[in-house]
């Protein structure tokens, strides 16, 4: 992929310096820039979710323990489903699906959420980006990736000429999360919550029919590749990068979560490679 001076400057601004043409896609093709000043996520809330996907993270823990406010402790851990999922999700159109998500009470997250976070972008976009779960800002605004991590994601997409707000399906992206409701205290999604929410994402994929799915972070990767990659839960995310996986027949590229990249700017260049791989598949 040819990058012009403006695109290179935009990447440098994000702390990604491209030294040589990017076509080779090798590790050496992208060098780590001096990390640009990058806002660090606050302890709770300010940039919401911490994101997962560092190369050495154990599968079921975060690198930084997530504090839980005392008042939220009683409700913070996964609660049993209070009501079943609608039976006909697999037959729903976009609007019915969005309405079903807005009224969903299939797990305990419905009790603490302010808004459901269905997804954003063109409903015929060729790219689907899947994150983990809404954080505080997303819960307040009802839109995925609206904090600092989202800004980084938007900026990286911009270099590729893509945006969540584009009306042009060829340039737009659709962004959704594995979970549609915020886990209180930004804790990790619980397995039963992922299980309950899965039919919604599955239906979004079926309706969107994307040409490529970019799975960002450990929970997106585990949810999308659980049936196609044996032992996906125990593999470091880095081992799944650089290959093309499949979900329901759609090519899947694995990358780091943008919140992880804010904390680990030296891995931004690898994330840029992942986006280039996705772009090359188009
Ligand atoms: N992190 C995510 O995975 N999704 C969001 O929507 C926001 C932060």
């Amino acid at each position: 992929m040819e990058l012009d001076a403006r695109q290179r400057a935009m990447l440098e601004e994000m702390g990604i310096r491209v030294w040589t043409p990017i076509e080779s896609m090798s590790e050496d093709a992208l060098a780590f820039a001096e990390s640009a000043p990058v806002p660090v996520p606050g302890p709770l809330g300010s940039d919401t979710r911490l994101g997962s996907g560092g190369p050495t993270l154990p599968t079921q823990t975060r690198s930084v323990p997530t504090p839980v406010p005392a008042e939220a402790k009683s409700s913070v851990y996964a609660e049993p489903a209070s009501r079943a999922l609608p039976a006909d999700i697999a037959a729903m159109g976009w609007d019915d699906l969005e309405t079903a998500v807005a009224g969903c009470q299939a797990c305990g997250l419905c009790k603490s959420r302010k808004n459901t976070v269905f997804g954003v972008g063109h409903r015929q976009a060729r790219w689907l980006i899947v994150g983990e779960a809404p954080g505080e800002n997303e819960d307040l605004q009802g839109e995925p990736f609206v904090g600092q991590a989202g800004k980084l994601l938007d900026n990286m997409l911009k270099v590729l000429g893509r945006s969540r707000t584009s009306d042009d399906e060829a340039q737009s992206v659709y962004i959704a999360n594995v979970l549609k409701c915020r886990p209180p205290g930004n804790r990790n999604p619980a397995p039963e919550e992922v299980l309950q929410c899965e039919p919604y994402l599955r239906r979004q994929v079926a309706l969107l029919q994307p040409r490529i799915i970019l799975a960002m972070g450990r929970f997106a990767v585990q949810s999308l590749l659980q049936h196609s990659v044996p032992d996906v839960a125990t593999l470091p995310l880095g081992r799944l990068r650089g290959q093309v996986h499949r979900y329901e027949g759609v090519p899947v590229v694995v990358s780091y979560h943008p919140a992880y990249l804010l904390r680990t700017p030296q891995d931004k260049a690898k994330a840029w490679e992942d986006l280039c791989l996705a772009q090359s598949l188009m």
Side-chain angles (χ1 to χ4, degrees), residues 48-49 117 131-135 138 143-146 149 177 257:
T48 67
R49 303 202 59 74
V117 179
E132 179 176 314
E138 291 77 19
E143 180 171 331
F145 284 108
V146 291
N177 284 312
H257 191 283

Side-chain angles (χ1 to χ4, degrees), residues 151-208:
K151 275 192 197 127
L152 175 62
L153 175 61
D154 284 341
N155 285 339
M156 289 173 84
L157 292 170
K158 196 169 167 191
V159 183
L160 295 173
R162 300 189 173 276
S163 137
R164 67 173 82 190
T165 55
S166 173
D167 292 334
D168 178 348
E169 64 197 56
Q171 294 184 333
S172 62
V173 296
Y174 192 87
I175 306 177
N177 284 312
V178 171
L179 293 190
K180 310 304 186 206
C181 297
R182 179 193 183 201
N186 294 340
R187 63 158 167 76
N188 284 339
E192 57 271 31
E193 292 158 358
V194 174
L195 200 70
Q196 290 283 13
C197 229
E198 198 180 20
Y200 294 128
L201 181 60
R202 184 177 297 276
R203 188 62 189 153
Q204 284 176 306
V205 173
L207 289 168
L208 191 66

Side-chain angles (χ1 to χ4, degrees), residues 38-49:
V38 175
V40 174
L44 249 194
S46 53
D47 188 54
T48 67
R49 303 202 59 74

Side-chain angles (χ1 to χ4, degrees), residues 119-139:
V120 68
H122 198 300
R123 290 180 172 183
Q124 289 175 322
R126 295 174 187 168
W127 277 43
L128 169 63
I129 297 173
V130 180
E132 179 176 314
E136 184 182 38
N137 294 321
E138 291 77 19
D139 181 48

Side-chain angles (χ1 to χ4, degrees), residues 238-262:
R239 290 266 303 277
L240 297 163
R241 292 181 50 249
Q243 314 160 40
V244 181
H245 306 274
R246 296 262 160 191
Y247 174 79
E248 305 276 317
V250 182
V252 175
V253 169
V254 166
S255 193
Y256 297 117
H257 191 283
Y260 164 80
L261 296 175
L262 291 179

